Amino acid sequence: MRDVTVDNITDVFTGYFGKDTDPRTREIMISLAQHLHDFTREVNLTHDEWRKGLSMLEHAGRITTPERNEFVLFSDVLGLSSLVDMMHSKPDATSSSVLGPFHVSNPPPLAIGGDMKRDFEGPVLLVEGQVRDTDGNAIPGAQIDIWQTAPNGMYSSQDPDQDIHSFHGLMTADDNGEFCFTTVRPVSYTVPSDGPVGELLEAAGRHPWRPSHLHYIATAPGFRSLVTEVFPDDDPYLDEDTVFGVRKDLVMTYHTRPATEFPDGLALSGSVIEPFLYVKFDLILSIDDDT
Ligand code: BEZ
Ligand code: FE
């Protein structure tokens, strides 16, 4: 085709597609081109603006490492990660939410009743929960991978002063699907904003803050893995999470309890002398219908 125009370029693109291409790939790529071309025409994109967009992508490529993926961060702050999550969440299960870049592989085992706070300053938070299926049955032995920030707002992989396993733990729920651990109250923090994603936030007049949260990945054979995070209802950024991760069912309430009510049999029993925070939050898994 030598008569390519502003109006027919999408059809020409479609016509160049090979006959034996995978139908789903074809559907996605043609739709992507359609939307990209429509967007370009709609905003009357200039050469300078087009170059700026490409240079942001090029910058993202330059600073992306196995520990920091700027493309995923673009997807997060543009709401794409959350949109995909929400479209594929099961209605009766706990909502999924963004994984983020700070999960570590091979987290250290954390016994039921174990502690992640160690010597870090801040209020003790006692977390209890149960892993259940969508019919309300306990899922014995479910695994819960837990991680969060330190009180300085940094994850272990961002902070040379923490060992890589700090505030990470892998717990196996008991025969009744129950789990329990102590930690320090997580804090609100900012997503990395020293790269092109920071530029985008700045240009949009947006802040880089996320409300404080605990991350979980809950898994059990025969169930869909649940990647999620849970947020306290008193966090100032709850209604303006820069990565759009908050869902109604992921909001929880911390209750302040006197030290005398701290239960026996946990790693910190006997050493809690100030009021502590308590929360119970259950995780509901849906059957894995792909198996
Ligand atoms: C996080 O929650 O750890 C996170 C999620 C998305 C982007 C950056 C951080
Ligand atoms: Fe996080």
Side-chain angles (χ1 to χ4, degrees), residues 5-257:
T5 68
V6 164
D7 294 321
N8 74 7
I9 188 163
T10 312
D11 291 337
V12 175
F13 173 90
T14 304
Y16 283 178
F17 242 78
K19 295 259 173 298
D20 299 326
T21 47
D22 170 65
R24 178 66 176 157
T25 307
R26 178 186 171 91
E27 180 187 3
I28 291 172
M29 288 188 64
I30 290 175
S31 178
L32 177 67
Q34 176 80 58
H35 286 278
L36 205 55
H37 295 169
D38 284 346
F39 151 77
T40 308
R41 286 182 286 249
E42 193 179 307
V43 301
N44 194 23
L45 199 71
T46 66
H47 275 102
D48 280 353
E49 291 157 347
W50 168 74
R51 262 192 296 273
K52 174 71 189 165
L54 291 183
S55 114
M56 286 173 83
L57 291 178
E58 191 262 340
H59 188 184
R62 256 188 297 121
I63 64 172
T64 288
T65 64
E67 288 77 41
R68 173 178 183 172
N69 190 322
E70 195 76 0
F71 294 99
V72 177
L73 196 55
F74 265 128
S75 162
D76 295 341
V77 303
L78 288 171
L80 180 60
S81 312
S82 282
L83 180 57
V84 174
D85 271 345
M86 290 187 286
M87 285 181 350
H88 300 287
S89 267
K90 295 284 182 183
D92 296 334
T94 301
S95 296
S96 57
S97 187
V98 289
L99 171 68
F102 303 118
H103 175 250
V104 298
S105 40
N106 304 316
L110 181 64
I112 293 175
D115 175 57
M116 295 201 303
K117 179 176 186 293
R118 301 197 256 173
D119 294 330
F120 285 86
E121 289 295 321
V124 171
L125 171 63
L126 169 60
V127 182
E128 285 182 350
Q130 185 188 35
V131 187
R132 292 196 300 272
D133 66 19
T134 52
D135 293 325
N137 304 303
I139 305 179
Q143 293 233 304
I144 309 114
D145 188 340
I146 306 156
W147 71 106
Q148 67 166 84
T149 51
N152 65 1
M154 285 202 268
Y155 285 90
S156 60
S157 57
Q158 299 175 291
D159 185 359
D161 292 336
Q162 291 180 63
D163 75 74
I164 191 70
H165 286 154
S166 144
F167 292 108
H168 290 269
L170 183 64
M171 183 163 291
T172 303
D174 67 13
D175 290 347
N176 199 29
E178 290 178 346
F179 60 94
C180 163
F181 60 93
T182 48
T183 183
V184 68
R185 184 189 170 129
V187 296
S188 325
Y189 65 89
T190 57
V191 301
S193 57
D194 56 344
V197 166
E199 263 186 89
L200 181 143
L201 292 175
E202 174 86 27
R206 282 173 55 183
H207 67 65
W209 286 90
R210 296 214 64 204
S212 60
H213 51 268
L214 282 164
H215 287 272
Y216 292 127
I217 301 177
T219 52
F223 292 89
R224 279 176 62 154
S225 297
L226 172 68
V227 178
T228 194
E229 17 171 31
V230 290
F231 306 84
D233 56 6
D234 58 354
D235 193 287
Y237 294 103
L238 197 64
D239 291 311
E240 43 184 287
D241 179 6
T242 201
V243 303
F244 311 94
V246 181
R247 318 273 173 267
K248 235 181 182 157
D249 67 307
L250 300 180
V251 178
M252 57 183 178
T253 304
Y254 293 152
H255 302 279
T256 305
R257 296 267 165 89

